[in-house]
Amino acid sequence: MSHIASPTIRRLSRKIFVGNVPIGGDAPVAVQSMTNTETCDVAATVAQIQALQKAGADLVRVSVPTMEAAEAFGAIRKQVSIPLVTDIHFDYRIALRVAELGADCLRINPGNIGREDRVRAVIDCARDKGIPLRIGVNAGSLEKDLQQKYGEPTPEAMVESAMRHIDILDRLDYPDFKVSLKASDVWMTVLAYRQLAGQIEQPLHLGITEAGGLRSGSVKSAVGLGMLLAEGIGDTIRISLAADPVEEIKVGWDILKSLRLRNRGINLIACPSCSRQEFDVIRAVNALEGRLEDIDTAMDVAVIGCVVNGPGEAREAAIGLTGGQPNLLYINGKPVGKLTEAELVDGVERAIRERIAANKAAESNPT
């Protein structure tokens, strides 16, 4: 498929490592989500983490609100391979415990820990084990004095809150952290990240918090994160949806693919359908999306319902289907066969999987 080169120039940032995943610098934008199971339910949490990893997550965040949850996290850590970020608030002892149990990143705000000796204990532990931190500011939970100062959540209030935590880490000489500034309002989030991006060197974790359900939340996230990513701002993303966390990973990847920042899985190029269609485009596309979710190989597949735009799109894709009399299947830009409507989905899926298998065989047996 021919594409216009992406004009995005990534913001220069310090590279840190969450487990074996690089964040910032020249590393690809990482995709993450968060479990919504009870952390103490080890089996359910492990199953969800594995589902997120299969869907394409680079990192997974796990909430650890209690010492009991910290011990459960230790059991979870032993059963999964993906890097895990632990979400901790207020109790520094939980941070120390999960660090011992294998946390790859501590999501913790130094200003919420209390006395400086407690903050120093967490930083010393993180330094000793090579664990980065994540500072997270949410518009809905700003400090009371900032709420009084600004009257309401604003981008400036969010940045000031973040800088308070950053100043603590700077004073303790710990530069290995990333920062998030999240609001449910798209513009507030975008403006806050733009302000902070020029003030620090650390990587930025992007998200629109409490974005909504699957449809509305995906749109808000695509708009807000899309603006920032197109400007080169952002090193890791989380799509916050009131939906199955696996959907967050799918939407995150779709955003990155649309900006050509990363590629994974099938890129379906499909017409919206109209009275010219020679087969049921919507049914075919929905069926293919469901069948092809397990594929992580990047590939453009065109499904077009008529002969007006179909041949042109099909010739540009690895696999193409165009409606007509007859419907034609294209491989590598050339028509190779005719398909009845009953054969469409099976035929396209088979062509995709055969193409992937042939490519893998060629890679493993170069001549």
Side-chain angles (χ1 to χ4, degrees), residues 27-359:
V29 178
V31 181
Q32 68 181 79
S33 182
M34 184 175 183
T35 56
N36 61 11
T37 55
E38 287 290 338
T39 302
C40 290
D41 187 340
V42 173
T45 304
V46 166
Q48 190 170 75
I49 291 170
Q50 291 172 337
L52 291 167
Q53 185 173 17
K54 183 178 179 181
D58 298 300
L59 313 168
V60 175
R61 181 156 54 112
V62 178
S63 180
V64 188
T66 64
M67 272 297 182
E68 183 184 7
E71 297 304 320
F73 170 80
I76 293 164
R77 172 71 284 175
K78 293 177 182 178
Q79 297 181 52
V80 299
S81 59
I82 193 170
L84 298 178
V85 180
T86 50
D87 193 77
I88 300 156
H89 295 277
F90 307 119
D91 192 340
Y92 81 107
R93 295 169 299 177
I94 297 175
L96 297 178
R97 183 57 180 152
V98 294
E100 292 289 338
L101 293 171
D104 297 291
C105 179
L106 304 175
R107 192 282 194 199
I108 192 165
N109 287 348
N112 294 342
I113 295 299
R115 299 198 312 259
E116 183 160 332
D117 61 322
R118 296 176 176 178
V119 177
R120 188 178 294 277
V122 174
I123 300 303
D124 288 345
C125 178
R127 194 191 320 271
D128 179 61
K129 296 185 177 299
I131 302 173
L133 306 183
R134 176 188 149 201
I135 295 169
V137 173
N138 276 29
S141 57
L142 290 171
E143 296 92 326
K144 290 183 179 179
D145 66 311
L146 291 179
Q147 294 179 33
Q148 293 175 349
K149 176 180 178 179
Y150 290 93
E152 61 184 4
T154 66
E156 292 75 18
M158 294 172 67
V159 172
E160 185 171 340
S161 177
M163 291 305 299
R164 289 181 177 181
H165 300 299
I166 292 169
D167 287 345
I168 294 172
L169 295 182
D170 285 346
R171 190 171 69 249
L172 296 174
D173 191 28
Y174 198 70
D176 292 335
F177 61 89
K178 54 183 176 172
V179 184
S180 67
L181 298 166
K182 296 183 179 181
S184 59
D185 180 84
V186 169
W187 276 115
M188 188 181 301
T189 303
V190 169
L191 293 174
Y193 277 112
R194 284 175 176 168
Q195 289 181 29
L196 187 64
Q199 297 185 41
I200 65 172
E201 66 170 2
Q202 277 73 22
L204 297 175
H205 167 75
L206 303 188
I208 306 294
T209 193
E210 300 150 0
L214 179 57
R215 186 186 67 183
S216 62
S218 296
V219 171
K220 284 184 183 178
S221 298
V223 171
L225 272 60
M227 282 193 280
L228 291 166
L229 291 167
E231 296 171 13
I233 296 172
D235 303 285
T236 177
I237 63 173
R238 190 263 172 111
I239 312 302
S240 297
L241 302 176
D244 185 335
V246 168
E247 298 297 329
E248 299 183 351
I249 300 301
K250 295 177 184 178
V251 174
W253 270 102
D254 285 343
I255 292 172
L256 295 182
K257 287 192 291 185
S258 70
L259 293 169
R260 289 195 298 285
L261 292 172
R262 291 182 74 180
N263 281 313
R264 182 184 190 276
I266 302 300
N267 176 35
L268 269 174
I269 300 155
C271 68
S273 78
C274 70
S275 61
R276 295 194 307 266
Q277 68 181 357
E278 299 287 350
F279 61 88
D280 189 336
V281 173
I282 294 174
R283 184 193 67 81
V285 169
N286 286 339
L288 286 168
E289 281 186 333
R291 291 192 186 191
L292 303 174
E293 283 188 345
D294 63 303
I295 294 176
D296 56 15
T297 301
M299 181 183 295
D300 288 332
V301 175
V303 179
I304 311 296
C306 75
V307 296
V308 175
N309 297 320
E313 294 286 359
R315 281 194 293 268
E316 293 291 332
I319 305 293
L321 173 66
T322 180
Q325 297 296 329
N327 304 310
L328 293 179
L329 176 68
Y330 286 70
I331 297 179
N332 294 332
K334 297 180 180 180
V336 297
K338 304 172 183 178
L339 296 173
T340 66
E341 180 146 2
E343 299 169 330
L344 292 181
V345 174
D346 289 341
V348 173
E349 181 187 9
R350 183 168 55 251
I352 291 169
R353 295 190 183 278
E354 288 176 352
R355 169 73 179 266
I356 292 171
N359 288 346

